[in-house]
Amino acid sequence: MKKFLKKATLFAVALSVVIAPATTLAANKDKDPTMNDERFLVIGHRGVSGLAPEHTIPAYDRVKEEKGDYIEVDIQMTKDGKLVALHDTTLDRTTNGTGEVRDHTLEEIKQLDAGSWFNEAYPEKADESYEGLEVPTLEEVFQRYGKDTKYYIETKSPDVYPGMEEKLLELLEKYNLDGANERSSKVIIQSFSQESLLKVHEMDPDLPLVQLLWYEPGENGKYEEYSGVTPSPSDVTSEDLEEIDRYAVGIGMNYRYDGELFYDEDFIEEARELDLLVHPYTVNSKSDMDLLLDWGVTGMFTNYAGKLHDVTHDDN
């Protein structure tokens, strides 16, 4: 069995180790998690974020309109303990606010404009209705879309937000989105943090989990720092995938970095032999969609759910 990605670093953000020891995983393994892999999943990356401001109601609305299967919701936590839909730990990029999300109350964040930045960045896609959009809470997302929608939720930077997982599961229970979930898959929980996923698995072993991975090239075989974090470098082996398989139903990874493809069909095959789902991110070009489909991935994150739906339903 070959090792993969000789010049790539595998790591989970905010972890001191990349993969937990097998004994630790075994303690959290109530059963071998699985999920129906017969249907390809179109995952609306931050909504249909190529056409509307990410993590806003218009972006989420378009996922179903464009026949996507899942709304991806990244969650952060406010100063007063509310879960909000934002990708960054800071407010600066996608609102007219500044500073850390954790340093602001929900009331303060609700005063911000989360849509005008999109009109400024993409004038060819601008819409007056995007001006003044609010940052939605996770609860508001559940209230709007209910059980008729499927959610792909990421615990973002859980080390920054103690108790995030408990609050997430409380909301899932409140809106009847928890329970025996692996086959119906109303909710999938993803994270770069293995620690966070293991915590969720311990609290609710029926929730399907996806381990997010990040690969970054090194120079001359050496591993470089990423975002100030120097993880323990590791090539991905079949043993690594087997350990992930102890608690997760799948993996999600950046499939390109600076335009370079990071893995090949063999990698997908190894993961699929373990019945792991494989959901690369973020796939926006038709040529890459076609390539990854040929390689056997079971779903993709995309900013253009309609385009990916059309590619996967092309009978020609």
Side-chain angles (χ1 to χ4, degrees), residues 68-237:
D69 297 300
Y70 280 83
I71 294 174
E72 186 204 26
V73 185
D74 297 319
I75 55 173
Q76 309 284 345
M77 195 157 75
T78 66
K79 185 177 181 179
D80 48 346
K82 302 299 182 182
L83 299 181
V84 292
L86 277 169
H87 178 270
D88 301 355
T89 59
T90 59
L91 299 163
D92 303 59
R93 183 176 64 86
T94 59
T95 78
N96 61 340
T98 59
E100 299 283 333
V101 175
R102 63 179 174 178
D103 293 334
H104 294 76
T105 66
L106 178 61
E107 182 179 2
E108 291 170 339
I109 289 175
K110 280 294 187 180
Q111 304 306 310
L112 302 178
D113 180 342
S116 293
W117 71 271
F118 183 89
N119 290 347
E120 296 169 6
Y122 307 103
E124 73 280 7
K125 304 175 185 178
D127 189 314
E128 289 184 1
S129 67
Y130 296 161
E131 297 176 9
L133 289 174
E134 291 185 356
V135 173
T137 66
L138 181 61
E139 183 161 23
E140 288 169 345
V141 173
F142 289 163
Q143 288 171 342
R144 182 175 182 85
Y145 303 108
K147 297 181 71 174
D148 294 331
T149 294
K150 294 183 178 182
Y151 308 93
Y152 211 125
I153 302 171
E154 181 177 349
T155 57
K156 300 290 290 187
S157 305
D159 58 312
V160 175
Y161 307 113
M164 168 182 274
E165 295 86 358
E166 287 86 350
K167 290 182 180 295
L168 170 58
L169 266 63
E170 286 172 8
L171 282 176
L172 293 177
E173 181 178 8
K174 180 177 179 179
Y175 290 94
N176 298 313
L177 292 166
D178 60 343
N181 220 318
E182 288 174 356
R183 301 304 294 182
S184 63
S185 62
K186 284 288 185 184
V187 174
I188 297 173
I189 307 298
Q190 62 176 338
S191 187
F192 285 102
S193 168
Q194 186 189 65
E195 182 179 358
S196 182
L197 292 179
L198 291 175
K199 187 174 182 181
V200 171
H201 185 61
E202 182 176 354
M203 291 187 290
D204 188 343
D206 288 323
L207 281 170
L209 310 175
V210 167
Q211 179 67 64
L212 293 175
L213 309 175
W214 176 271
Y215 302 100
E216 184 169 344
E219 217 174 282
N220 299 320
K222 296 181 179 180
Y223 299 96
E224 300 172 339
E225 291 189 3
Y226 177 77
S227 298
V229 177
T230 307
S232 301
S234 173
D235 290 340
V236 183
T237 66

Side-chain angles (χ1 to χ4, degrees), residues 17 121 123 249:
V17 294
V249 302

